[in-house]
Amino acid sequence: DIQMTQSPSSLSASVGDRVTITCRASQSISRNLNWYQQRPGKAPKLLIYAASDLQSGVPPSFSGSGSGTEFTLTISSLQPEDFATYSCQQSYSTPITFGQGTRLDIK
Amino acid sequence: QVQLQESGPGLVKPSGTLSLTCVVSGASISSSNWWSWVRQPPGRGLEWIGEIYHSGNTNYNPSLKSRVTISIDQSNNQFSLKVTSVTAADTAVYYCALCSGGACYFWGQGTLVTVSS
């Protein structure tokens, strides 16, 4: 199985801050990497697919980059509704695997 | 608007079988998408269970493969999950999802299944 490791596991930031979350794969997954946002008690929401493509309806403050084994999710200016948990997911091979999640809290 | 809705018992006894159904609206289950199940134990990360294509082709997580069956019901536009021989470790929120190209674009709201006597 391909292991996905996110860092940091948790992060405190303020409204207006720029934040970056990193996801590393245990082997190369090309650009088969997706990012999800999950608010408490809610289903995951797709933000970014294929490493850098913004899902329809997602604010342009979100961006993704990377290929191979290292990927990043960047939020350019945090809004109150952005405080949530973010997870990466590889879709290069089955079993599909997710990172453990990064919890983003208000400082 | 695509919507998915999970349904099934919220409580299952240990060693029993967990059975869930996902009803799909706004999209045909016969379309070229993979229909997936993902679960999330309380306070933990997401775990992919498996997926099914409209042809009936399936992929399962090897960690669960011996206990999991995913099936599709095209006449009712729904798909289902069965997990046998459940233990407390199977307690989780179970989500169904529509995935394409590996990314899951639409999700059900999730249903909590607790394994307890």
Side-chain angles (χ1 to χ4, degrees):
Chain A
D1 299 4
I2 298 174
Q3 305 302 314
M4 306 302 294
T5 304
Q6 289 180 233
S7 60
S9 294
S10 63
L11 175 61
S12 294
S14 302
V15 172
D17 283 355
R18 177 186 179 91
V19 299
T20 297
I21 298 169
T22 297
C23 179
R24 290 186 173 86
S26 60
Q27 65 184 73
S28 177
I29 57 171
S30 187
R31 294 177 60 81
N32 298 105
L33 190 283
N34 311 302
W35 289 98
Y36 298 87
Q37 176 193 68
Q38 190 174 21
R39 297 190 175 101
K42 299 297 186 182
K45 172 187 174 183
L46 179 66
L47 298 175
I48 302 282
Y49 62 96
S52 62
D53 290 344
L54 194 66
Q55 168 64 352
S56 175
V58 175
S61 56
F62 289 89
S63 63
S65 65
S67 65
T69 62
E70 187 154 336
F71 302 85
T72 58
L73 172 70
T74 298
I75 310 172
S76 61
S77 179
L78 278 172
Q79 299 303 302
E81 60 270 23
D82 298 336
F83 291 94
T85 297
Y86 294 86
S87 299
C88 61
Q89 172 223 357
Q90 66 82 18
S91 52
Y92 180 79
S93 65
T94 58
I96 291 169
T97 47
F98 292 85
Q100 80 279 16
T102 294
R103 179 173 171 171
L104 178 55
D105 291 332
I106 300 174
K107 185 183 289 184
Chain B
Q1 173 74 342
V2 178
Q3 292 186 320
L4 296 89
Q5 178 68 58
E6 306 91 348
S7 63
L11 181 64
V12 181
K13 291 187 183 332
S15 77
T17 297
L18 180 161
S19 297
L20 296 174
T21 296
C22 181
V23 176
V24 179
S25 59
S28 171
I29 201 122
S30 300
S31 58
S32 299
N33 298 300
W34 286 90
W35 304 95
S36 302
W37 288 97
V38 175
R39 70 181 183 179
Q40 186 169 36
R44 298 183 61 184
L46 298 161
E47 179 182 31
W48 180 78
I49 299 171
E51 61 188 2
I52 189 165
Y53 200 62
H54 64 81
S55 60
N57 286 355
T58 53
N59 293 304
Y60 296 125
N61 193 323
S63 67
L64 297 165
K65 185 174 183 177
S66 63
R67 300 192 293 126
V68 169
T69 303
I70 298 175
S71 59
I72 199 162
D73 178 356
Q74 299 198 28
S75 60
N76 290 305
N77 217 46
Q78 63 187 35
F79 62 109
S80 300
L81 170 71
K82 288 190 189 299
V83 182
T84 60
S85 305
V86 297
T87 69
D90 295 306
T91 293
V93 175
Y94 286 75
Y95 295 101
C96 58
L98 182 164
C99 306
S100 178
C104 295
Y105 290 82
F106 297 98
W107 295 69
Q109 65 185 23
T111 187
L112 174 63
V113 179
T114 301
V115 178
S116 175
S117 55

